[in-house]
Amino acid sequence: MIIEATGKSAHSVTIKRLMKFFLDSANLAELKDAASWGIVDGVTTNPSLIAKEGFPVQEQVRKICDIIDGDVSAEVVSLVAPEMIVEGRRLAAIHKNIVVKVPLIPEGIKAVAAFVKEGIRTNVTLCFSAAQALVAAKAGAYIVSPFVGRVDDIGWPGIEMIDDIMTIYRNYDYKTQVLAASVRGPLSVIQAAKAGAHIVTLPYKVMQQMFHHPLTEKGLEQFLSDHRKVFDLVNA
Ligand code: G3P
């Protein structure tokens, strides 16, 4: 939630919700290019994305924090709470922007409770139902990541999960942010925005797709062609 003050008195403070775009990547070249667009608010990684780059998570997320000044999710790979807590503390110590990602399993929820007490922010991931998202909010998760695309992949409407979660969260004062993850294309982004998701995390390719429309490219070509016909002749 971004709060912008308007007018002279505190009574005229306007609270604006602005959708945040995160890049779902651990690839430094993708991150550097996307950072240049000025629309990236944070980064999500997971063990598969880290493995693709081939460097230990601590080393890779440290570099990522130097590229994007926003929340950077780094995921634990332990499966029991005590080990998740030790691993998560190490990740959180890398940089103030690190958000510790834990899987939405009982041991992960136990770890969230410990992290909340220590002021370590968490992103509870691999969420596939509103019931799970309710558990994450009750545990005090900073972010919950429902995987829209993987629900779509098995023939269920993934966006309905986001709708249900937002409806439930709006009924109460949960502070957990809904981060639409596992996004397959611009349509998923639009649907997540219509549902009111706080954040959407986009693969680099999808973020590139957000810019493109054939009519924009066609229109620009026509503008420049018309301009050349007149002014290039004049300058020739
Ligand atoms: O951050 C979660 C996301 O990386 C998962 O996406 O495409 O593997 O379902 P996907």
Side-chain angles (χ1 to χ4, degrees):
M1 173 99 59
I2 307 279
I3 294 182
E4 283 184 1
T6 58
K8 292 186 175 52
S9 75
H11 301 299
S12 59
V13 171
T14 301
I15 294 179
K16 283 183 179 174
R17 276 168 46 96
L18 303 175
M19 180 178 229
K20 286 180 264 189
F21 276 6
F22 284 11
L23 194 71
D24 195 31
S25 172
N27 179 281
L28 303 185
E30 290 181 352
L31 286 155
K32 284 175 187 160
D33 190 29
S36 70
W37 302 333
I39 58 171
V40 177
D41 303 294
V43 179
T44 50
T45 71
N46 62 43
S48 303
L49 293 173
I50 292 289
K52 266 171 73 175
E53 303 311 312
F55 297 97
V57 60
Q58 291 85 347
E59 190 180 323
Q60 197 68 8
V61 294
R62 168 77 259 178
K63 291 174 185 167
I64 291 172
C65 290
D66 291 338
I67 298 169
I68 301 279
D69 183 18
D71 290 345
V72 175
S73 288
E75 190 163 342
V76 298
V77 291
S78 310
L79 289 175
V80 290
E83 291 172 17
M84 288 179 180
I85 293 164
V86 170
E87 203 182 338
R89 284 174 182 148
R90 278 201 206 107
L91 290 171
I94 294 167
H95 193 282
K96 65 177 176 55
N97 288 346
I98 293 286
V99 177
V100 176
K101 227 182 190 184
V102 296
L104 212 160
I105 58 175
E107 289 298 305
I109 295 301
K110 272 189 214 171
V112 168
F115 288 134
V116 166
K117 291 191 182 90
E118 298 178 18
I120 293 175
R121 296 173 303 155
T122 55
N123 176 351
V124 178
T125 189
L126 287 169
C127 173
F128 292 96
S129 75
Q132 287 180 311
L134 187 49
V135 167
K138 285 186 64 61
Y142 172 68
I143 290 173
V144 66
S145 290
F147 279 33
V148 178
R150 292 193 191 183
V151 173
D152 291 345
D153 291 346
I154 60 167
W156 288 70
I159 200 60
E160 285 186 15
M161 170 176 56
I162 303 282
D163 278 330
D164 289 347
I165 294 168
M166 293 306 295
T167 300
I168 292 166
Y169 280 22
R170 285 189 186 115
N171 287 344
Y172 305 97
D173 294 322
Y174 289 121
K175 298 286 179 282
T176 303
Q177 297 176 82
V178 177
L179 182 155
S182 182
V183 157
R184 297 284 188 263
L187 181 59
S188 303
V189 179
I190 297 306
Q191 289 173 333
K194 285 182 174 177
H198 302 88
I199 309 165
V200 60
T201 193
L202 302 85
Y204 178 71
K205 177 172 168 292
V206 175
M207 198 169 280
Q208 286 181 307
Q209 287 174 310
M210 294 293 287
F211 290 90
H212 294 296
H213 192 291
L215 291 180
T216 303
E217 283 137 23
K218 184 167 181 280
L220 180 58
E221 194 181 318
Q222 187 62 53
F223 283 165
L224 297 181
S225 164
D226 295 345
H227 190 272
R228 271 194 297 273
K229 284 179 193 147
V230 174
F231 295 101
D232 285 8
L233 284 177
V234 168
N235 297 333

